[in-house]
Amino acid sequence: MAGSRSAVEEIEVAGRAVRLSSPDRVIFPQRGFTKADVFHYYLAVGDGITRALRDRPTTLQRFPEGVEGEMFFQKRVPTRGVPPWIRTAEISFPSGRKADELCPADLAHVAWAAQMGTVVFHPWPVRAADTDRPDELRVDLDPQPGTDFADAVTAAGELRGLLDELGVPGWPKTSGGRGVHVYLRIQPRWTFVEVRRATIALARELERRRPELVTTAWWKEERGRRVFVDFNQTARDRTIACAYSLRANARATVSTPVEWDELPEVDPDDFHLGTVPARFAERGDPHAGIDDAPWDITPLLEWAERDAADGLGDLPYPPEYPKMPGEPKRVQPSKDRDRPRP
C-alpha cells in the first residue's frame, strides 16, 4: 500500500476537502505502512468506521511521528486551526470537568483525524444527543496471563448462549490483540452507573456458568488463569478501540467485526491494515445491523437487584474515580488488614 506521494495532497472525502500532509511518513516501521496508508485505510473501510463513530464523542490516540514515537490522547478539539465543518460534543469526566471532543458526523471527520496523526479511535458509548446515557453496552473479554485468544473466544461463545436466552443479539469483534469485544445496542434510557451495574450482572452470570474460565475479580492477584470481564470499560470516560480502528502495535492490527460462527476460526493477527480493506470490500460489515433493534436492559438490572439481595453488591471503580456510592474499598486484597483470613 505504501508508495511515493507528493508532500501535500487535498482529497475529497464525504464532500469535504481534507488535507493530507507528509504522506510518506512511516507510521508502522515494522510493516512499512505510511501515513498515507493509514489515511487511505480508513477511507477503504469508510462505511464501517463511520457506523462505529457517527455522532459519538471520540478520544483520539495520536502518534504524530509513528507508533514507536511519542503518543498522546486528545480529548479536546483545538479551538484554532480546525476546519469549520468539524463537529464536537461536550462530555463530562468523572471529576466533573468538561471537554468538547470530536464527534464524527461523516467520513471526512475520520480522515481529518488521520491527517492529524490519529491511529486509534476511542468513541464513548453515547451519542451527541445525550452524552450521559449510553446506547452501547460493551463486554470486554480480556485474557489474563496463562490464557489466550482461544480462551476469550470460548468465553464469547458462552456469552453468545446467554444472550440468546435473553433474546438480544451480540456483535463480536476482535480487540486487535488477544481479546474479544462483544457489543450490545441498548436503548439510551439509563445512566453510566446503571449500565455498569447491568454489565456486572451479565458478567457475574457468565462467571457462575463457567467459573473455571471467566472471572469478574477486579484485583489481578485474584483472577488466576481466566478471562477477565472488564466491567469498568462501561464506566464513564473509559473507552474501547472501535470497530475497524487500527491498533498501535507493530503488526498494525485492526479491531475487526466478525460473524459469530467464524469467530472460533479466526486469527486476530490476520486482520491488519493490509488485509482488512479487501475483506471489507468482499464481505461487507458484519455489524451492519447493529443499530436495528436497541434492547431494554431491564432483565440485567433485575439480575443486579437479585445479586445485591444475595450480598453481591458493587465492584471497585478505576483508581482515578472519586469514591462512588455503594462501592467497596479500593484496597488490594492481600494488603487489606480488615479482610477476613482463612
Side-chain angles (χ1 to χ4, degrees):
M1 295 178 67
S4 177
R5 304 176 192 270
S6 60
V8 179
E9 298 180 61
E10 195 169 87
I11 299 168
E12 183 175 333
V13 182
R16 307 284 190 183
V18 181
R19 184 171 175 264
L20 173 61
S21 63
S22 304
D24 294 324
R25 178 178 295 151
V26 176
I27 302 300
F28 291 96
Q30 296 191 38
R31 301 300 297 269
F33 294 136
T34 65
K35 183 178 178 182
D37 293 330
V38 171
F39 187 96
H40 289 284
Y41 162 77
Y42 281 121
L43 298 190
V45 297
D47 287 347
I49 189 76
T50 302
R51 180 176 294 109
L53 294 176
R54 181 178 284 116
D55 295 332
R56 296 192 183 280
T58 301
T59 301
L60 307 178
Q61 190 175 359
R62 295 176 56 188
F63 296 82
E65 302 301 323
V67 297
E68 295 183 0
E70 180 182 359
M71 179 276 290
F72 63 95
F73 289 95
Q74 182 171 329
K75 296 188 175 185
R76 290 175 170 82
V77 172
T79 56
R80 298 180 180 180
V82 175
W85 45 266
I86 288 291
R87 283 184 52 189
T88 63
E90 185 181 81
I91 46 86
S92 298
F93 300 112
S95 65
R97 293 180 298 110
K98 299 181 183 295
D100 291 324
E101 285 204 330
L102 182 71
C103 189
D106 54 31
L107 186 57
H109 287 70
V110 179
W112 174 81
Q115 152 63 16
M116 299 293 289
T118 301
V119 172
V120 189
F121 291 84
H122 296 268
W124 283 48
V126 299
R127 308 276 188 175
D130 190 342
T131 59
D132 290 321
R133 296 184 184 276
D135 74 331
E136 195 162 75
L137 189 156
R138 300 166 175 176
V139 182
D140 181 4
L141 300 171
D142 183 12
Q144 299 303 290
T147 63
D148 56 20
F149 179 73
D151 297 296
V153 168
T154 301
E158 295 292 332
L159 176 61
R160 180 188 185 184
L162 183 53
L163 296 178
D164 285 345
E165 293 175 21
L166 289 166
V168 55
W171 303 89
K173 66 182 180 73
T174 64
S175 69
R178 299 186 309 126
V180 174
H181 301 155
V182 180
Y183 286 6
L184 279 63
R185 180 67 75 246
I186 64 174
Q187 298 169 9
R189 294 167 44 195
W190 297 275
T191 65
F192 277 95
V193 170
E194 290 169 319
V195 172
R196 180 178 174 275
R197 287 184 64 222
T199 305
I200 291 172
L202 182 63
R204 279 175 166 156
E205 183 62 26
L206 190 62
E207 182 180 36
R208 274 189 284 267
R209 297 187 181 201
R210 292 296 302 270
E212 83 293 352
L213 174 67
V214 173
T215 180
T216 60
W218 175 246
W219 302 105
K220 291 183 179 180
E221 64 186 35
E222 296 186 319
R223 293 177 188 172
R225 297 177 59 177
R226 291 178 288 179
V227 176
F228 172 52
V229 184
D230 190 353
F231 52 87
N232 270 329
Q233 292 291 12
T234 54
R236 182 186 290 273
D237 193 32
R238 296 297 285 260
T239 57
I240 296 176
C242 72
Y244 298 104
S245 176
L246 291 163
R247 302 308 308 268
N249 55 44
R251 305 179 307 282
T253 59
V254 173
S255 184
T256 306
V258 295
E259 302 284 355
W260 276 115
D261 291 340
E262 70 171 323
L263 182 59
E265 309 300 326
V266 304
D267 182 336
D269 282 349
D270 289 340
F271 299 141
H272 57 76
L273 187 154
T275 60
V276 171
R279 170 184 165 88
F280 189 85
E282 177 184 352
R283 304 182 60 162
D285 183 7
H287 284 193
I290 192 170
D291 294 315
D292 291 348
W295 187 56
D296 180 341
I297 65 170
T298 298
L300 298 184
L301 295 174
E302 291 173 349
W303 287 3
E305 292 296 331
R306 174 202 64 191
D307 289 345
D310 290 339
L312 295 174
D314 203 353
L315 291 171
Y317 274 79
E320 69 272 17
Y321 270 64
K323 184 69 175 179
M324 300 295 286
E327 180 189 1
K329 291 196 301 182
R330 294 184 199 171
V331 180
Q332 189 173 332
S334 60
K335 298 180 179 180
D336 184 358
R337 296 180 180 180
D338 298 327
R339 186 180 178 90
R341 304 296 178 185

